[in-house]
Amino acid sequence: MLSSRRTKPAERTCALTRRTGAPESMIRFVLGPDGDVVPDVKRRLPGRGVWIDATRECVAAAVKKRAFSRGFKTQVEVSEDLPDIVERLLRRCALERLSFVQKSGALIAGFEKVRSALQSDGPAGLVFASDAATDGRQKLESLAKKACDLHNKGNVIDLFSSAELESTLGRERVVHVALMPCRSSEIFFLDAARLRAYMFGVTHPEKHRGHQPDEHAFAGPLAV
């Protein structure tokens, strides 16, 4: 007989702030083989985990205030550039997922192709190079607001330079990108939202919790 009791959502406690929240709003850290503190951005590495609110400010404060030593209950040496390491990992996660979107055939690149998609098919979201010219972006964003409510969904991303997009997608002059609906697109926008929250200091612990994909929502490398 199945129990009618609802499963309580998983929660973790930040070792720095003592805030309790969803795992999606935090970064998990473990001790590596050499005793170094390793970000476990996919939450799959073995061993005791220490959780820190997923913002650059909190990770930097955790390093400064020795929150990792308290959390692991032993003295550990933590690199001062740990906040940069975490950001690189989160950035790599999102870019690797973007390459998966391209492999699935759900990625459209180029101003005219993106504009056509906005006028017809209804993309799941847009990606603009952070160094894109404002006029082209504004024209496409205007269409996006009319065609679909991408801005309110947070599915307009401008965190990556054109060089990063070109390297990831193996194309030249990548500035405007549209992603069509698919599982990889969904996870990419989760990855990008996590990176944005980390960079700018805002977490949304309950966002997307009812739609977590099997890959634990965030794709990418397991360790530095």
Side-chain angles (χ1 to χ4, degrees):
M1 181 176 178
L2 295 176
S3 173
S4 60
R5 183 183 299 176
R6 292 185 177 181
T7 302
K8 184 178 179 180
E11 290 187 337
R12 299 292 184 268
T13 300
C14 174
L16 174 72
T17 67
R18 309 310 300 171
R19 182 187 73 86
T20 299
E24 294 80 17
S25 69
M26 301 186 192
I27 303 290
R28 181 177 185 263
F29 296 84
V30 299
L31 289 181
D34 298 327
D36 52 331
V37 175
V38 177
D40 179 20
V41 296
K42 256 189 119 174
R43 308 195 297 272
R44 288 184 177 179
L45 289 178
R48 176 185 177 86
V50 168
W51 299 77
I52 300 294
D53 281 337
T55 68
R56 168 180 279 274
E57 181 181 10
C58 281
V59 174
V63 174
K64 183 177 180 180
K65 297 182 179 181
R66 299 187 175 276
F68 292 105
S69 292
R70 294 195 303 273
F72 288 117
K73 301 185 185 304
T74 185
Q75 289 297 317
V76 295
E77 292 297 325
V78 187
S79 172
E80 291 186 358
D81 66 350
L82 187 62
D84 294 328
I85 294 172
V86 173
E87 181 173 331
R88 287 198 297 269
L89 286 172
L90 294 177
R91 183 172 293 273
R92 191 186 309 170
C93 286
L95 289 172
E96 287 182 354
R97 180 58 59 178
L98 189 63
S99 71
F100 295 156
V101 179
Q102 177 176 242
K103 291 175 183 176
S104 72
L107 184 146
I108 299 170
F111 181 88
E112 292 299 334
K113 291 181 179 180
V114 171
R115 182 167 65 175
S116 295
L118 284 167
Q119 292 173 330
S120 57
D121 299 329
L126 301 173
V127 179
F128 296 112
S130 57
D131 49 349
T134 57
D135 57 343
R137 170 173 175 164
Q138 288 173 351
K139 290 177 182 177
L140 292 176
E141 284 187 310
S142 176
L143 283 174
K145 290 177 182 177
K146 295 176 183 178
C148 45
D149 198 14
L150 302 181
H151 287 272
N152 287 342
K153 294 178 181 178
N155 288 1
V156 178
I157 306 301
D158 60 358
L159 302 173
F160 311 105
S161 68
S162 57
E164 287 178 297
L165 295 176
E166 290 165 5
S167 176
T168 298
L169 302 177
R171 304 186 183 191
E172 294 182 354
R173 299 169 61 184
V174 180
V175 178
H176 310 104
V177 175
L179 304 187
M180 306 308 292
C182 71
R183 175 59 65 87
S184 290
S185 293
E186 176 188 352
I187 303 174
F188 166 76
F189 287 115
L190 290 172
D191 282 335
R194 194 183 201 196
L195 173 61
R196 179 166 49 203
Y198 181 81
M199 293 172 64
F200 299 110
V202 180
T203 57
H204 304 282
E206 303 305 322
K207 186 176 182 180
H208 301 298
R209 289 199 60 184
H211 306 282
Q212 291 295 340
D214 293 339
E215 295 103 322
H216 292 252
F218 304 108
L222 298 182
V224 178

